[in-house]
Amino acid sequence: MNLILLGAPGAGKGTQAEILCKKLGIPSISTGNILRAAIKDGTPTGLKAKSYMDAGQLVPDEVIIGIVGERLSQPDCQKGCILDGVPRTIAQAEAIEKAGIRIDAVISIEISEDEILRRMSGRRVCEACGASYNVEAVPPKVEGICDNCGGKLIQRKDDTPETVKARLEVYHRETEPLVDFYAKRGLLKAVEVADNKEATNAKILAALGLRL
Ligand code: ADP
Ligand code: ZN
C-alpha cells in the first residue's frame, strides 16, 4: 500500500506517518527528515537545501524528485510506503506518476490556521531520529528527551513565527492544489484533526477502511 499524507505544516503529518508506519508495517518517507539529516551530515544535497529550508521556502523539485526516487528503490519500500511531506508541488506529483508509483490513497489532514500557529510554537523534534513532539499536545515521557531513542529534543530553526508564516504561504500556493489533483483521481480522503494523535489516527484508519 502506497499512501500520501497531505496537509499544512503543523497538521501532524509526521506524527501520523510514524503511527501508520508501526501499524501498517511499511516505512514512512519524510523528505523533511531526509533533508535535515543531509544538512546535519553536510552532504551536497544538504548544502543545496539549507538556505531554502531556513527561509521556509520549498527545496527545488529536481532535488526532491532525486531523493524520493532513490529512497523508493530501496528494498524496504517494496511492500509500500507512507509519503510524508512529498509531493508538495504538482511537478512532484507528476514525477511520482511518471515513475509508475501507484498511489492507493491520499489523506489530506485538515486543520485551522489558528491551531497551526498554536502547535508550531510548541513543536520539538528529536535531533537524532527526527520524531516530533509538542510540549502541550504530544509531550515526551521525559521532558526534552525522545521516547523512541533517548535523543535530545530541539526546536526547529524554521519553526519561528516569521518562517511559519512563509511556510503557510508556500503551502497555500504550491501544495494545496494537490488536493484537487488527487480528488480528480478519486484518491483523496479528507480527515479533520481530532483532539489528540490517537483520535486523529483512528479517523485516518477509518477513512482508509482499515480496522487495526
Ligand atoms: P512541515 O511539513 O512541518 O513544513 P517538513 O519537515 O515536511 O515540515 O519540511 C520542512 C522543510 O523541508 C520545508 O519547509 C521545505 O523547505 C523542505 N521540504 C520538505 N519536503 C519537501 C518537498 N517535498 N518539496 C520541497 N521542499 C521540501
Ligand atoms: Zn529520537
Side-chain angles (χ1 to χ4, degrees):
M1 163 131 82
N2 290 316
L3 285 181
I4 290 173
L5 295 181
L6 275 184
K13 298 184 296 289
T15 303
Q16 292 303 325
E18 273 173 52
I19 302 177
L20 288 170
C21 151
K22 283 182 197 142
K23 289 192 175 169
L24 302 176
I26 52 178
S28 91
I29 298 176
S30 156
T31 41
N33 286 352
I34 293 172
L35 292 167
R36 279 185 286 278
I39 290 175
K40 208 171 152 211
D41 295 343
T43 69
T45 300
L47 291 176
K48 233 186 267 172
K50 189 175 187 320
S51 57
Y52 295 100
M53 290 178 75
D54 286 349
Q57 299 300 315
L58 293 183
V59 173
D61 286 331
E62 31 331 332
V63 176
I64 300 295
I65 291 165
I67 290 176
V68 172
E70 195 179 306
R71 183 65 188 86
L72 286 177
S73 69
Q74 287 167 17
D76 63 327
C77 292
Q78 298 323 305
K79 277 194 305 181
C81 69
I82 299 154
L83 293 174
D84 159 21
V86 70
R88 246 182 168 86
T89 63
I90 296 280
Q92 292 175 20
E94 285 173 348
I96 288 172
E97 276 190 348
K98 273 207 201 98
I101 295 148
R102 190 184 36 80
I103 301 299
D104 298 283
V106 178
I107 302 285
S108 168
I109 305 180
E110 314 214 313
I111 181 172
S112 73
E113 204 125 325
D114 282 356
E115 179 67 13
I116 292 173
L117 296 173
R118 218 173 53 75
R119 284 186 178 195
M120 300 297 248
S121 60
R123 173 149 79 173
R124 300 292 180 273
V125 296
C126 172
E127 201 179 38
C129 78
S132 59
Y133 297 87
N134 188 290
V135 291
E136 282 174 46
V138 193
K141 292 195 183 91
V142 180
E143 196 188 318
I145 304 291
C146 177
D147 292 350
N148 293 347
C149 77
K152 191 177 151 205
L153 301 186
I154 56 167
Q155 182 159 35
R156 269 168 46 178
K157 219 177 170 176
D158 61 351
D159 276 348
T160 60
E162 312 79 69
T163 317
V164 167
K165 200 164 156 267
R167 286 160 62 202
L168 280 172
E169 279 166 18
V170 168
Y171 172 75
H172 290 306
R173 192 174 67 236
E174 306 280 350
T175 309
E176 226 167 24
L178 289 175
V179 170
D180 233 37
F181 180 94
Y182 286 115
K184 283 198 182 109
R185 285 155 176 76
L187 295 175
L188 193 79
K189 301 187 190 306
V191 172
E192 196 147 342
V193 291
D195 290 342
N196 55 58
K197 60 178 177 177
E198 287 82 14
T200 303
N201 191 252
K203 288 171 84 173
I204 291 175
L205 291 174
L208 291 170
L210 297 173
R211 286 192 57 188
L212 295 173

